[in-house]
């Protein structure tokens, strides 16, 4: 590495040689100065996490993400792995504590702090690796790959993963968004991280006048993602390939926010049925175009219509009134086994036909791992008295001649869940969701941004019916063309393009992410090889 690498100050007595064990091995003033510098780096690392949080919706400050990572790079560059871990933990807490505060709604701070700390520890492991690879030539490239590898780990472990907070999900308004169509969310995250680390490298180059090759690498680290996003721009299109359809999104609203909305299950069902009946009246009066199909939210009927005749009648009456297929979000309760979070395709003539069972079940929300242990920390686990079980196959319904793929709420955060639905033939993606539990927090806007990124990633219209808002219609270019207010009964009716072309991201699947994992492993392997060679020379 060039001489511009900043090495972490050694503690007193750490130097080898004569007098190493003496208290005077390092001047007291230098030790105080080292502690002060470490404290400043800690504050900057935590501050970089806060900056990253501010880059996420509902704020349109996407450009803060590269700035945040540039600040983080300034903290960890050239440090030991131990220091990188410590600084990364501070960064992760600064980022995730405010980002995930909505998880405390109705259950108190313990689950929120536990989740944020666990995820921050995983970010800390990532930044420990980043600290190591910053000693290599072209370090922004290696560092961005390691960051993306850390996101891949968080998306898979523990308990099936928690991808919330991916860099990509904060870039729905950003200029790098077309990268999602090229290589999915991993490439978009990688490009954002590379810009941030490259920005810091460019600042160093401007200050220290390094070799021309070092300055060129810094400039390329910023320019390459921008150039790739510009080259990928033709992949982003809202043109209709298979004609158009008129879709209706129903938001029936809930009696009250929070976990206790479930106690009013019949009222929630009635709200969605009544708003659909109102839509049918508006169509008959010529006030609204007749939809080809209608989508209801997740949990719009938490009463199982297959076992409760009254719920069946309410839904069937609403569907017959509107006269087109309707997808219904329901909870099915078989006599044995786990509950099912199910979307039902309901035909006005045939009644319920196809079903889709949610495949990604939210840990500590829809299922409780290690229930007896978790109960020691929070009695709220008993709100989930019976776990949900996962489905196995993608759900794509024929809805009035359109192939509508179902991705239920939490699943939108997972690359494979959305991609497999599109690969199964979806021309449109529907993301039925229920955010009523989280009130008026930023959670709904964070999830809406995910849906916008998914629209571009797979070049599909995304319909977002939510029990209490924000419901939306998103074009394949990621633009929101209609949306509701929160906690307001409403219906969105829009003509949408039907598309069947698969983007490179859809076709390549996880391959871009695997390539970045190999790149990250290569960087860490180079660091290890250097250390082995250095020890061999010293022996």
């Amino acid at each position: 590495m060039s001489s511009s690498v900043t090495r972490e100050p050694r503690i007193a007595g750490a130097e080898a040689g004569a007098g190493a064990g003496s208290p005077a091995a390092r001047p007291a003033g230098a030790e105080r100065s080292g502690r002060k510098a470490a404290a400043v780096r800690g504050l900057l690392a935590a501050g970089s996490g806060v900056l990253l949080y501010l880059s996420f919706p509902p704020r349109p400050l996407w450009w803060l993400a590269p700035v945040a990572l540039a600040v983080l790079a300034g903290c960890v560059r050239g440090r030991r792995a131990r220091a990188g871990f410590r600084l990364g933990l501070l960064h992760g807490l600064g980022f995730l504590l405010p980002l995930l505060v909505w998880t405390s709604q109705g259950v108190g701070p313990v689950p929120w702090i536990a989740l944020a700390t666990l995820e921050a520890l995983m970010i800390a492991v990532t930044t420990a690796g980043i600290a190591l690879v910053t000693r290599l030539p072209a370090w922004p490239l290696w560092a961005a790959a390691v960051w993306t590898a850390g996101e891949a780990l968080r998306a898979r472990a523990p308990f099936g993963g928690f991808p919330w907070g991916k860099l990509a999900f904060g870039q729905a308004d950003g200029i790098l968004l077309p990268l999602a169509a090229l290589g999915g969310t991993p490439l978009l995250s990688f490009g954002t991280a590379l810009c941030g680390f490259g920005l810091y490298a460019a600042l160093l180059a401007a200050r220290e006048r390094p070799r021309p090759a070092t300055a060129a690498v810094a400039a390329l680290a910023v320019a390459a993602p921008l150039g790739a996003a510009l080259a990928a721009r033709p992949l982003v299109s809202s043109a209709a390939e298979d004609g158009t359809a008129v879709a209706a999104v129903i938001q029936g609203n809930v009696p009250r926010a929070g976990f206790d909305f479930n106690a009013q299950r019949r009222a929630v069902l009635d709200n969605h049925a009544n708003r659909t009946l109102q839509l049918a009246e508006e169509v008959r009066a010529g006030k609204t175009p007749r939809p080809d199909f209608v989508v209801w939210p997740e949990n719009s009927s938490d009463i199982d219509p297959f076992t409760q005749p009254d719920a069946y009648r309410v839904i069937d009456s609403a569907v017959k009134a509107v006269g087109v297929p309707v997808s219904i979000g329901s909870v099915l309760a078989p006599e044995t086994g786990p509950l099912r979070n199910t979307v039902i395709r309901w035909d006005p003539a045939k009644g319920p036909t196809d079903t889709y069972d949610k495949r990604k079940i939210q840990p500590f929300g829809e299922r409780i791992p290690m229930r007896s242990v978790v109960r020691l920390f929070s009695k709220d686990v008993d709100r989930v008295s019976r776990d949900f079980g996962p489905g196995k196959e993608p759900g794509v319904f024929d809805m009035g001649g359109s192939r509508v793929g179902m991705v239920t709420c939490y699943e939108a955060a997972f690359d494979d869940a959305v991609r497999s639905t599109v690969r199964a033939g979806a021309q449109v993606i529907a993301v039925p969701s229920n955010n009523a539990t989280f009130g008026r927090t930023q959670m709904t806007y964070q999830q809406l941004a995910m849906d916008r990124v998914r629209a571009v990633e797979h070049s599909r219209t995304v319909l977002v019916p939510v029990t209490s808002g924000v419901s939306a219609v998103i074009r394949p270019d990621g633009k929101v063309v209609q949306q509701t207010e929160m906690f307001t009964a409403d219906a969105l009716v829009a003509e949408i393009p039907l598309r069947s072309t698969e983007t490179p991201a859809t076709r390549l699947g996880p391959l871009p992410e695997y390539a970045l994992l190999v790149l990250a492993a290569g960087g860490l392997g180079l660091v290890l090889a250097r250390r082995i060679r250095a020890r061999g020379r010293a022996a």
Side-chain angles (χ1 to χ4, degrees), residues 6-19:
T6 303
R7 299 188 179 274
E8 185 178 30
R10 295 180 180 271
I11 61 171
E15 297 293 345

Side-chain angles (χ1 to χ4, degrees), residues 259-291:
F259 281 98
D260 290 337
F261 88 92
N262 281 314
Q264 302 273 327
R265 294 180 301 166
R266 179 54 193 269
V268 174
L269 171 56
D270 286 345
N271 285 352
H272 287 84
N274 290 337
R275 191 59 188 86
T276 304
L277 291 170
Q278 182 182 341
L279 173 64
E281 289 292 333
E282 292 167 354
V283 170
R284 281 192 288 271
K287 298 179 181 178
T288 302
R290 184 178 186 274

